Amino acid sequence: MGYKVAVLGATGAVGSELLTLLEERDFPVDSLRLLASSRSRGKKIRFKGEDLVVEELTHGSFRGIEIVLSSAGGSISKEFVPSAVQCEAVVVDNTSYFRMKEDVPLVIPEINPDMIAKHCGIIANPNCSTIIMALPAFPLHRAFGIRRIFAATYQAASGAGRQVMVELEEETRAVLDGKPYERTVIPHPYAFNLFIHNSRLHENGYVEEEKKMIHETRKIFREPELRVNATCVRVPVMRAHSEALNIQFDRDVSPEEAYEVLRKAPGVQIDEDRDAGRWPMPVDASGKDPVFVGRIRRDVSQPNTLDLWVVGDQIRKGAALNAIQIAEKFIR
Amino acid sequence: MGYKVAVLGATGAVGSELLTLLEERDFPVDSLRLLASSRSRGKKIRFKGEDLVVEELTHGSFRGIEIVLSSAGGSISKEFVPSAVQCEAVVVDNTSYFRMKEDVPLVIPEINPDMIAKHCGIIANPNCSTIIMALPAFPLHRAFGIRRIFAATYQAASGAGRQVMVELEEETRAVLDGKPYERTVIPHPYAFNLFIHNSRLHENGYVEEEKKMIHETRKIFREPELRVNATCVRVPVMRAHSEALNIQFDRDVSPEEAYEVLRKAPGVQIDEDRDAGRWPMPVDASGKDPVFVGRIRRDVSQPNTLDLWVVGDQIRKGAALNAIQIAEKFIR
């Protein structure tokens, strides 16, 4: 009594986590097909005690498939997702390619689950930094009305893919040993360094990641005029993103009111120990489901404004978990 | 024809850099006395081809000394700087202890050099994050009038002292080798992790480092009402701080106007290659004198507002270089 599922990009960082979560959350899988590029064909991956063989992705891969979880990059989604839709599969797409298309719902299940029913074959999973900001921001918006958000991000290696996580480790070891290291993915030094998010630069000086945070948040919140600004930075952390949020509201909001709202917010967990000086941290958030929030305080420089510190696992809620949650809502 | 100089805290990260800079910049040193805690007594440090012996700091250490460069922590400054002043030495103090005292000038030589002449024996060197923010912000304030600054910091290990730089290396190696590691200074994991700045938490939810950025900037700018907000974070980077600045002005300012002002600003260097996606980075700024600025763009969420990305060496301009520059102005 399960679904015929295919995972596209099964060998990547998010793909692996999708398989872990399908098993952990006991998603009703009748059959599972693992799809990847020809490079990974024949590779075996364990799922529920069985060794599944990775198949090469082709336009014919989707025959008989009901649900596709896609996480192999925008150009792959562009080329192959339409074939899946033609086969009447529903695709939860974790790439940026379809996110801003008008007839494609962009969903965070805790925020706009109603949009799932409006799909025409594709449901898009938002950008990781967007999800981690939006999950705590939306309940605050509903309760108090957000006038403007400024976000400064501290993004992990995982957002750039498994290979960059490996390279961060290898380069760090090389630096500690005083040896040279040749990078293949990121053009900047990464060990004990940080750099502006390595996505495409637009004419107005914003990088693509920042534009995603602005436009995706507006679409998810159904607030086309919502004022959002972001500066996106990659830091030498493995798999959890942190964000310093500065949020201005329509009225004065006390930290206590904000804590109260967020304590009840689904997917959000307050995590702080003021006496111990302990606030949300990437190492603590890694491998966990919630987006952790702490350090809510009044901005002393401007009325009606709060500072928040949020940390969430980029691979989980930032990607794979959110996709699985969409699929779970979809089958209900 | 030089000065009788003492360096207090000569064995620390900033102390070592002070000695390097005294030599590099050919500061007119007639005699140099190295002072530190009893733990470092007898240690030899090379200066201009000679081995100098570190002496234990006592209240009598300052007899005959004309200039003291002090960088041994607030409690040491509190106890010993008055003894130096009594001996008629002038102290450039790099700790936070005297910074906000009314009769103590707080100086960034590119901004308020005139304050040096007003000293009563002590000239305070500002906090590192403050200097790195203020150096590019001040010329913009003079040209366009700043209404509000929001800063999110990405602070290096060096700000917590040499021992933390060593621990970041050691802990990172331990994590890569899968071995346990016992930290002695910072109570949080640091390898591939980040955390809210480990300074004292105040009642209003701000940590001490954030308060320093707010209040010191106001004092240096001579703008007691200047609206500044900061979120301070320590990242696993060795010795350069980065800051995402969001600055609202009294009027519309184009990025071109801001670049124009900063290109002429002393101590500031524009560092970016838009085509290559290359912006200021900690590894590039390390060991360099200027504060590097790039990515000046209009904030799309709010009028009259610019985003800037600034990176500066915490040990140099953030501490030792600024102190030496103060001493250089003082003797002129």
Side-chain angles (χ1 to χ4, degrees):
Chain A
M1 292 308 290
Y3 292 83
K4 293 175 176 62
V5 178
V7 172
L8 207 167
T11 57
V14 175
S16 304
E17 197 77 13
L18 284 168
L19 299 179
T20 303
L21 288 166
L22 284 173
E23 194 164 340
E24 259 186 39
R25 298 170 71 91
D26 213 12
F27 190 90
V29 176
D30 178 55
S31 71
L32 183 59
R33 182 171 285 171
L34 305 185
L35 302 169
S37 70
S38 61
R39 222 176 38 243
S40 299
R41 183 178 46 193
K43 210 181 148 184
K44 280 178 191 158
I45 296 182
R46 212 155 175 84
F47 181 75
K48 290 196 175 174
E50 266 183 83
D51 279 332
L52 300 182
V53 179
V54 176
E55 300 170 47
E56 183 181 348
L57 169 66
T58 69
H59 288 281
S61 295
F62 306 103
R63 239 161 265 145
I65 294 294
E66 292 166 293
I67 297 174
V68 177
L69 301 168
S70 167
S71 187
S75 58
I76 303 292
S77 281
K78 179 186 176 185
E79 186 178 347
F80 290 96
V81 162
S83 305
V85 174
Q86 231 168 15
C87 291
E88 292 181 11
V90 168
V91 181
V92 181
D93 187 43
N94 194 43
T95 76
S96 63
Y97 188 71
F98 295 100
R99 284 182 195 147
M100 295 310 294
K101 309 264 184 231
E102 212 162 321
D103 58 345
V104 173
L106 181 65
V107 176
I108 299 175
E110 293 88 343
I111 298 179
N112 59 346
D114 54 301
M115 293 304 291
I116 293 173
K118 295 185 179 154
H119 76 84
C120 305
I122 306 170
I123 304 162
N125 202 48
N127 165 270
C128 46
S129 306
T130 307
I131 294 175
I132 290 163
M133 173 174 75
L135 205 59
F138 185 74
L140 297 174
H141 180 54
R142 260 223 312 227
F144 312 117
I146 287 179
R147 186 171 291 181
R148 174 179 177 259
I149 308 178
F150 175 81
T153 72
Y154 302 69
Q155 299 187 218
S158 58
R162 168 166 286 169
Q163 187 52 28
V164 173
M165 298 171 76
V166 172
E167 288 202 1
L168 172 56
E169 269 199 32
E170 288 178 354
E171 185 185 343
T172 303
R173 194 183 288 278
V175 165
L176 288 172
D177 293 344
K179 289 184 183 155
Y181 181 74
E182 209 161 300
R183 289 173 296 275
T184 63
V185 187
I186 300 279
H188 310 299
Y190 200 177
F192 303 111
N193 191 35
L194 53 81
F195 48 87
I196 294 296
H197 193 280
N198 51 303
S199 49
R200 191 163 63 90
L201 182 71
H202 290 266
E203 195 57 47
N204 66 354
Y206 281 69
V207 294
E208 179 66 18
E209 182 84 353
E210 292 158 354
K211 290 201 86 169
K212 287 177 186 173
M213 289 185 74
I214 296 166
H215 296 288
E216 294 183 16
T217 303
R218 288 176 178 168
K219 180 169 176 175
I220 296 161
F221 284 22
R222 282 172 274 209
E223 295 277 13
E225 305 295 325
L226 191 76
R227 289 158 58 189
V228 181
N229 186 29
T231 291
C232 290
V233 179
R234 215 180 273 296
V235 295
V237 161
M238 280 299 165
R239 59 173 282 169
H241 285 1
S242 307
E243 301 182 11
L245 303 184
N246 184 255
I247 307 184
Q248 189 175 22
F249 297 95
D250 290 329
R251 66 159 173 96
D252 180 63
V253 179
S254 72
E256 294 67 32
E257 286 176 285
Y259 276 113
E260 187 63 22
V261 165
L262 291 177
R263 248 180 237 113
K264 296 177 198 149
V268 171
Q269 192 173 309
I270 303 295
D271 172 36
E272 58 180 33
D273 178 346
R274 290 194 169 229
D275 295 332
R278 203 177 165 88
W279 314 99
M281 288 194 294
V283 289
D284 291 338
S286 295
K288 308 266 171 64
D289 287 351
V291 168
F292 297 93
V293 179
R295 281 211 89 198
I296 306 180
R297 67 193 198 279
R298 273 184 211 275
D299 178 340
V300 293
S301 75
Q302 182 170 268
N304 306 346
T305 306
L306 295 178
D307 284 304
L308 288 83
W309 176 246
V310 307
V311 181
D313 186 306
Q314 186 275 330
I315 307 180
R316 271 205 173 212
K317 186 59 191 173
L321 173 62
N322 197 72
I324 296 283
Q325 288 172 323
I326 290 172
E328 288 171 347
K329 292 262 181 205
F330 164 71
I331 62 174
R332 248 183 252 145
Chain B
M1 292 306 290
Y3 292 84
K4 293 177 177 57
V5 178
V7 173
L8 207 168
T11 57
V14 174
S16 304
E17 197 77 14
L18 284 168
L19 299 180
T20 303
L21 288 166
L22 284 174
E23 193 163 340
E24 260 186 38
R25 298 170 71 91
D26 212 14
F27 190 91
V29 175
D30 178 55
S31 71
L32 183 59
R33 182 171 286 172
L34 306 185
L35 302 169
S37 69
S38 60
R39 222 177 37 243
S40 299
R41 184 178 44 193
K43 212 181 146 184
K44 282 180 188 154
I45 296 182
R46 212 156 175 83
F47 181 77
K48 292 194 176 177
E50 266 183 83
D51 278 332
L52 300 182
V53 179
V54 176
E55 301 170 47
E56 183 180 348
L57 169 67
T58 68
H59 287 281
S61 297
F62 306 102
R63 238 162 267 145
I65 295 293
E66 292 164 294
I67 297 174
V68 178
L69 302 168
S70 166
S71 187
S75 58
I76 302 293
S77 281
K78 179 186 176 185
E79 186 178 347
F80 290 95
V81 163
S83 304
V85 174
Q86 233 168 15
C87 290
E88 291 182 14
V90 169
V91 181
V92 181
D93 187 41
N94 194 43
T95 77
S96 63
Y97 187 72
F98 295 100
R99 284 182 196 148
M100 296 308 297
K101 311 261 185 234
E102 213 161 321
D103 58 345
V104 174
L106 182 64
V107 176
I108 300 176
E110 293 89 344
I111 298 179
N112 59 347
D114 54 300
M115 293 305 290
I116 293 173
K118 297 185 177 152
H119 76 85
C120 304
I122 306 171
I123 304 162
N125 201 48
N127 166 270
C128 47
S129 306
T130 307
I131 294 175
I132 291 164
M133 173 174 75
L135 204 59
F138 185 74
L140 297 175
H141 179 54
R142 261 225 309 230
F144 313 116
I146 287 179
R147 187 170 289 181
R148 173 180 178 257
I149 308 179
F150 175 82
T153 72
Y154 302 70
Q155 297 187 221
S158 57
R162 169 166 285 170
Q163 186 53 29
V164 172
M165 297 172 78
V166 172
E167 289 203 0
L168 172 56
E169 269 199 30
E170 288 178 354
E171 185 185 343
T172 303
R173 194 183 288 278
V175 165
L176 289 172
D177 292 343
K179 287 182 185 158
Y181 182 74
E182 209 162 299
R183 288 173 295 274
T184 63
V185 187
I186 300 281
H188 310 299
Y190 199 178
F192 303 111
N193 192 36
L194 53 82
F195 49 87
I196 294 296
H197 193 279
N198 51 305
S199 49
R200 191 162 63 90
L201 182 71
H202 291 265
E203 195 58 47
N204 66 354
Y206 281 69
V207 294
E208 179 65 18
E209 182 84 354
E210 292 158 353
K211 290 199 87 169
K212 288 177 186 173
M213 289 185 74
I214 296 167
H215 297 288
E216 294 183 15
T217 303
R218 288 175 178 168
K219 180 168 177 176
I220 296 161
F221 283 23
R222 283 172 272 209
E223 294 277 12
E225 305 295 324
L226 191 76
R227 290 157 59 189
V228 181
N229 186 29
T231 291
C232 290
V233 179
R234 215 180 274 294
V235 295
V237 161
M238 279 300 164
R239 60 173 282 171
H241 286 359
S242 307
E243 302 183 12
L245 303 184
N246 184 255
I247 307 185
Q248 189 175 23
F249 297 94
D250 290 330
R251 65 158 173 98
D252 180 63
V253 179
S254 72
E256 294 67 33
E257 285 176 286
Y259 276 113
E260 187 62 22
V261 165
L262 291 178
R263 245 180 241 116
K264 295 177 199 148
V268 171
Q269 191 173 311
I270 303 295
D271 172 35
E272 58 180 33
D273 178 345
R274 291 194 168 227
D275 295 331
R278 204 177 165 89
W279 313 99
M281 289 194 293
V283 289
D284 291 337
S286 296
K288 307 267 172 62
D289 286 352
V291 169
F292 297 93
V293 180
R295 278 212 90 198
I296 306 181
R297 65 194 198 278
R298 273 184 210 276
D299 177 340
V300 293
S301 75
Q302 184 169 266
N304 306 346
T305 307
L306 294 178
D307 284 303
L308 287 84
W309 177 247
V310 307
V311 181
D313 187 305
Q314 186 275 330
I315 306 180
R316 272 205 171 212
K317 186 59 191 173
L321 173 63
N322 197 71
I324 296 284
Q325 288 171 324
I326 290 171
E328 288 171 348
K329 292 261 181 207
F330 163 72
I331 62 172
R332 247 184 253 145

